[in-house]
Amino acid sequence: MSSTKLARGITLYIAFASFRVANVALIQSQFDPDEYWQNLEPAYCYVYGNGQQDSLSCQGLTWEWRRRPNTPTPFLIFNDVPSLVEAVRQAMEQGPVRSFASILPTMIFYHIIQYLQWDSSWMISRGPLVLNAILVAATTDWTVWYISQQWITMTAPTITSTTTKTKMGISTNSKLLGSRSISWINFCVYCSLTSWFNAYALVRTYSNSLETMLVAVSVALVSQDLLLESRPMGWESVANACIAFFLGGVCSAIRFTCLTIYVPLGVILSLKLPTKTATVSYLMGICAIFGALGFLSTVSLDRIMYGFWAFPVLGNIHFNVLQGYGSLYGTHPFYWYLVAGIPALTGMLLPVLCYDLILVKSWDYGRRNLWIIIGSCVIAHSGSAHKEFRFLLPVLPLFCLVAGTRLQDVASKWRRQWFLVSLLTVGAALNFMVVLKLGLIHQRGSIDVNRMILNEVVAPDQTSRLVATSPDHQRIHNIHYLMGCHSTPLMSHLHAPPIQFETWYLDCGPTCRADPNVDCESESFSKNPTAFLQQAYYRCSGEKDEQACAAAAAAAAADTDSLEGSTAVRAVPDFIVCDTGNLAEIRNILESPIMNMEEIGRFFQGIHSIQVGSPIVEGTEDDLNSKKEWSEMQFFYGFVRLRLEEIVLFRRVMI
C-alpha cells in the first residue's frame, strides 16, 4: 500500500471515529440489559472487586459469570477418556457461559483510568461507549469503505492504462470510472453512516457489536478473493485468510453463532481452488487450524481470569441449544427475521435490497457470495426460538455493501440528480430522527434514575473524581430495585468512591424461570406487589391486612430506622426504585410510618398507551388503568391522551 493510500485510509478512519464519538452523545438510553450486564458490570466487578473471590460477591455479576463446575480443572491434564468426558460435561452443565474476550477492552480501559485516577462516574459509565465507538463502530465503517474500494477496483473495466486518483484513493480509468467509483464507494459509506441501527446499537457495548467488527475485518481481509472469481489465490491471500479465520475463532468463542458466517465464508473461498485436495487442505489447514488457534487464545484468557480451565462456549451451547433455555427470555416464530427483524434492521435500505433480490440473475460473483453469507446467518438464527434484532447486527455491513452498490447503479440511470440528492437527504434525516427518539427519549429513565441517586449522595461541588468528604457520605447507601430484573444498570452507574452501595434487584434467573412450580422474585412481585412487599420487609403473609403487618413489624423492631427486628427480612433501604405500573398498589406501604419513603423523582421510560376520542367507562380496563399512577399528556382538549411509563425514585426520610 502506497504512503498516499495509507495516509488517506488513516484520515478516513479518524473521520469515522470522530463521527461515531459524536454518535455516542445521542445514546442516553438503554436498549437491552446485556449492553451493561454482560459488559460494563462484569468488567467493573473484576477490576474493582479486588480479586477473584471478591468479584464473585459483586452485585453486578450475573449467573452467566458466577457458574462454577463442582471440580474445577486447574491444569489441562486428562489421564483418560472418562476424565475428559467428565470435564466437558461439567463445562457444559455447570461452567460459566461468558468469555472474558467479550469484555477485555472494557476491562483494560477500567484498569487504565483506575491507575491514572481518572475513574470518575462519567468515565466508568460512558467511557466504554466512547471506546467502543472508536475501536468497534469506526472500524466497521472503515471496512465498509475498504471493501467497496476493493470491489469497484476489481470489477472496473480496464480499457486504457491512463489512471487518476479519486478522492477515495482509487486509481481507475478516469474517463470510464472516475465518477462511478466515487459514487459506488460513497453510497456504501452513506448506507453505513446513516443506518439508524448502526447509530443506535453498534456503539453500544454489546458482544454483538464486537462480533460485527470482527466479521467486517475478516471479510475485508479476504475481500479480493471473496468478490472476484477470476483472481488467483496467492501467498498474500493465504496470509490474509489465516488472520481472518484466527479472528473467526475469537469471534466464535464470544458468540458461537459466528460460525454461521465463517463456515460459508471458508467454503466459498476453498471452492475457488482448482482441485479437491487443495479445497480440503484450505478448509483444514487454514480455516480450521487458524480458527482453532483463535479459539484457544480466548481459552487461555479465560483460564487466567477464571482461575481454572473454562470453556464458556460449551456452556453457552448447552444452555441455548441443547436445553433451549434461550426461549425463557422470549420467543418468536421462525419467520420473524424475514417479516420484522430484517425490515427493522435495514430500514430505508429494504426497498433497495428487495430490488436487488429481484435482479438475482444479474448478480456477479461477489454479490452472490455476500448474499450466501447473509442467507446462511439469517436461516441459522431463524432456527432459534429466541430472536432479537441485534443478533443480525454482524450482517448489517454486508447489507450496506449490497444496497450501496445497487443504489449507485439505480442512481446512475436517473437524469434528475437533484431528486436523488433530495431522496437521500430525506432518508438520512428520517434515520436521524429515529435515533434521536430512541437514543435520547425512549427508555432513558433506566439511566437517569441512577444519575439522580448519585446526585443525592455525592457532594455537589465535586466535579472531577467523585470523592465525598463528609462523614454522612462515608456510609453505605442501600438501593432496592422493585421492578423487572436488570431494568437499569447497576454498579457501573453507581461509581463514586469512597461511597459504597448495597443493592437488591428482583431475581429472574433461568433456575426459577425453567421451573413451572417456582415463581421468580420478579414474577411474584408482578402478580401481587403488596403481598411481596409485606413478605420482604415485614415477613407478613398476604392474609393480614396492611395495618396488622405494620403493627407486627413495629412491635418487633426496636429500632424503627433499621427495621432489623426478628420479623424483618430486609432493612428498609435509603432508596427504592419502581415503575408506575405497580406504583398505585405499593405507594401506601412505601409511605407508611414503618418504611417512611417519599417520592423524589420520575423519569420518562416510554409510552404505555394512546387513547383517542372515547371517554373512559367505569369498570373497564381503561378505567382500571386510569386508577394506576400513569402520568398523562393530553392534546386537542383531551381528545388524545398519552399514558406514560415512568421510573419512580423514592428516598427514605430520616427522622
Side-chain angles (χ1 to χ4, degrees):
M1 179 182 293
S2 67
S3 58
T4 303
K5 290 184 177 181
L6 178 61
R8 188 168 287 111
I10 294 174
T11 300
L12 281 173
Y13 179 79
I14 294 173
F16 291 144
S18 301
F19 179 84
R20 289 305 179 187
V21 169
N23 185 171
V24 170
L26 301 179
I27 304 301
Q28 304 286 342
S29 61
Q30 175 175 285
F31 176 24
D32 184 271
D34 277 6
E35 63 184 295
Y36 303 114
W37 290 85
Q38 302 304 335
N39 190 293
L40 270 65
E41 297 300 334
Y44 184 90
C45 287
Y46 279 94
V47 172
Y48 290 91
N50 299 320
Q52 180 67 229
Q53 296 303 319
D54 288 343
S55 300
L56 286 176
S57 63
C58 180
Q59 301 156 80
L61 212 59
T62 59
W63 65 271
E64 291 97 330
W65 301 87
R66 294 180 184 272
R67 293 207 321 180
R68 295 292 184 273
N70 292 333
T71 54
T73 307
F75 304 104
L76 195 59
I77 299 176
F78 305 103
N79 298 324
D80 49 33
V81 173
S83 64
L84 175 61
V85 172
E86 176 62 17
V88 171
R89 185 194 67 80
Q90 289 197 33
M92 296 179 68
E93 297 179 0
Q94 303 166 4
V97 301
R98 298 285 183 179
S99 172
F100 276 90
S102 63
I103 66 171
L104 185 61
T106 304
M107 289 183 62
I108 294 174
F109 175 76
Y110 280 171
H111 275 299
I112 292 174
I113 63 175
Q114 182 189 41
Y115 176 78
L116 298 174
Q117 295 190 350
W118 292 351
D119 51 337
S120 66
S121 177
W122 189 94
M123 289 291 284
I124 293 292
S125 61
R126 301 288 294 172
L129 272 74
V130 176
L131 180 70
N132 216 55
I134 297 172
L135 297 183
V136 174
T139 302
T140 303
D141 292 327
W142 190 89
T143 57
V144 170
W145 165 79
Y146 178 82
I147 296 170
S148 63
Q149 176 187 231
Q150 297 295 318
W151 200 352
I152 184 61
T153 301
M154 292 182 294
T155 58
T158 304
I159 295 180
T160 175
S161 59
T162 303
T163 59
T164 182
K165 292 183 179 179
T166 70
K167 292 181 180 179
M168 290 301 198
I170 305 172
S171 297
T172 56
N173 182 277
S174 59
K175 182 177 180 180
L176 294 176
L177 293 174
S179 60
R180 178 171 177 259
S181 61
I182 297 176
S183 340
W184 195 337
I185 296 169
N186 285 347
F187 274 114
C188 292
V189 173
Y190 166 87
C191 292
S192 182
L193 294 182
T194 62
S195 167
W196 79 269
F197 201 75
N198 268 345
Y200 185 55
L202 190 58
V203 298
R204 296 179 185 268
T205 52
Y206 288 120
S207 59
N208 308 95
S209 301
L210 185 58
E211 177 188 8
T212 302
M213 185 270 288
L214 292 173
V215 167
V217 172
S218 298
V219 172
L221 285 167
V222 299
S223 57
Q224 295 184 6
D225 299 307
L226 180 68
L227 301 177
L228 189 63
E229 185 175 15
S230 60
R231 184 180 188 274
M233 297 179 66
W235 286 108
E236 181 183 357
S237 298
V238 172
N240 288 341
C242 291
I243 300 173
F245 287 100
F246 181 89
L247 297 178
V250 174
C251 185
S252 300
I254 295 173
R255 290 185 59 84
F256 68 88
T257 51
C258 279
L259 293 172
T260 64
I261 293 176
Y262 282 95
V263 169
L265 179 63
V267 171
I268 290 170
L269 295 175
S270 67
L271 291 177
K272 291 189 65 175
L273 297 171
T275 64
K276 292 183 179 179
T277 302
T279 297
V280 174
S281 299
Y282 188 92
L283 288 172
M284 302 304 297
I286 295 179
C287 302
I289 290 180
F290 281 90
L293 289 175
F295 178 79
L296 290 175
S297 68
T298 67
V299 172
S300 301
L301 173 66
D302 290 328
R303 169 63 181 86
I304 296 172
M305 298 307 302
Y306 280 118
F308 57 91
W309 288 104
F311 301 92
V313 67
L314 295 180
N316 208 319
I317 292 174
H318 181 262
F319 181 85
N320 287 289
V321 179
L322 300 182
Q323 291 184 301
Y325 279 178
S327 61
L328 297 174
Y329 297 89
T331 60
H332 292 94
F334 72 93
Y335 54 81
W336 184 81
Y337 280 125
L338 294 179
V339 300
I342 293 177
L345 188 79
T346 56
M348 303 295 177
L349 303 181
L350 184 63
V352 182
L353 294 170
C354 292
Y355 179 66
D356 192 71
L357 287 172
I358 294 173
L359 301 178
V360 58
K361 292 183 179 180
S362 67
W363 288 356
D364 58 22
Y365 179 78
R367 190 177 300 274
R368 185 199 69 187
N369 288 341
L370 292 179
W371 273 114
I372 289 174
I373 295 172
I374 291 171
S376 171
C377 180
V378 173
I379 292 172
H381 279 82
S382 296
S384 172
H386 180 60
K387 299 176 178 67
E388 296 186 34
F389 295 114
R390 59 189 174 94
F391 290 171
L392 293 187
L393 184 60
V395 296
L396 185 53
L398 306 187
F399 277 129
C400 292
L401 288 167
V402 171
T405 52
R406 182 60 67 187
L407 193 59
Q408 190 280 333
D409 291 339
V410 173
S412 64
K413 301 174 183 178
W414 287 16
R415 296 181 179 179
R416 299 178 178 178
Q417 293 297 312
W418 64 267
F419 183 75
L420 173 64
V421 173
S422 300
L423 192 62
L424 294 177
T425 302
V426 170
L430 290 175
N431 281 331
F432 182 67
M433 291 171 62
V434 172
V435 175
L436 287 180
K437 191 268 182 183
L438 295 178
L440 297 179
I441 301 174
H442 183 64
Q443 293 190 169
R444 178 172 181 145
S446 298
I447 309 300
D448 288 343
V449 66
N450 282 340
R451 289 177 180 170
M452 183 167 183
I453 291 174
L454 281 180
N455 290 336
E456 288 290 311
V457 302
V458 175
D461 58 339
Q462 306 259 325
T463 56
S464 56
R465 193 165 185 259
L466 298 179
V467 180
T469 55
S470 65
D472 182 61
H473 286 109
Q474 302 295 332
R475 64 191 289 270
I476 296 177
H477 295 270
N478 294 284
I479 311 171
H480 291 179
Y481 294 86
L482 302 180
M483 51 201 305
C485 63
H486 307 146
S487 294
T488 71
L490 203 65
M491 306 310 295
S492 63
H493 284 59
L494 295 172
H495 179 79
I499 300 172
Q500 298 182 40
F501 292 93
E502 292 287 344
T503 63
W504 174 48
Y505 58 90
L506 305 183
D507 177 48
C508 64
T511 303
C512 59
R513 284 189 182 222
D515 190 342
N517 299 317
V518 176
D519 283 343
C520 296
E521 287 180 338
S522 58
E523 188 176 3
S524 297
F525 176 73
S526 179
K527 287 181 177 179
N528 193 334
T530 302
F532 184 88
L533 260 64
Q534 290 173 347
Q535 181 69 18
Y537 297 108
Y538 303 155
R539 194 174 287 172
C540 282
S541 67
E543 299 175 356
K544 295 184 179 181
D545 60 26
E546 180 185 338
Q547 292 183 352
C549 281
D559 181 6
T560 57
D561 283 336
S562 64
L563 265 185
E564 293 178 349
S566 60
T567 64
V569 177
R570 296 184 181 275
V572 175
D574 300 294
F575 298 95
I576 283 182
V577 182
C578 61
D579 57 48
T580 46
N582 298 307
L583 182 58
E585 299 171 80
I586 64 176
R587 179 181 285 279
N588 289 338
I589 297 179
L590 297 179
E591 294 179 347
S592 67
I594 300 300
M595 298 194 70
N596 205 26
M597 310 293 292
E598 66 173 355
E599 180 182 329
I600 61 171
R602 290 194 176 209
F603 309 92
F604 176 80
Q605 188 73 349
I607 297 175
H608 176 266
S609 61
I610 302 176
Q611 186 165 355
V612 180
S614 59
I616 296 176
V617 180
E618 186 175 356
T620 63
E621 183 177 352
D622 285 334
D623 179 47
L624 296 176
N625 279 330
S626 68
K627 295 176 181 177
K628 294 181 178 291
E629 294 203 19
W630 309 112
S631 295
E632 280 195 355
M633 297 178 65
Q634 297 188 6
F635 303 92
F636 305 111
Y637 302 99
F639 185 77
V640 178
R641 292 190 296 273
L642 302 183
R643 289 200 180 99
L644 309 180
E645 291 182 355
E646 295 174 303
I647 292 180
V648 185
L649 177 62
F650 283 83
R651 177 183 58 194
R652 190 177 182 200
V653 179
M654 305 302 293
I655 301 176

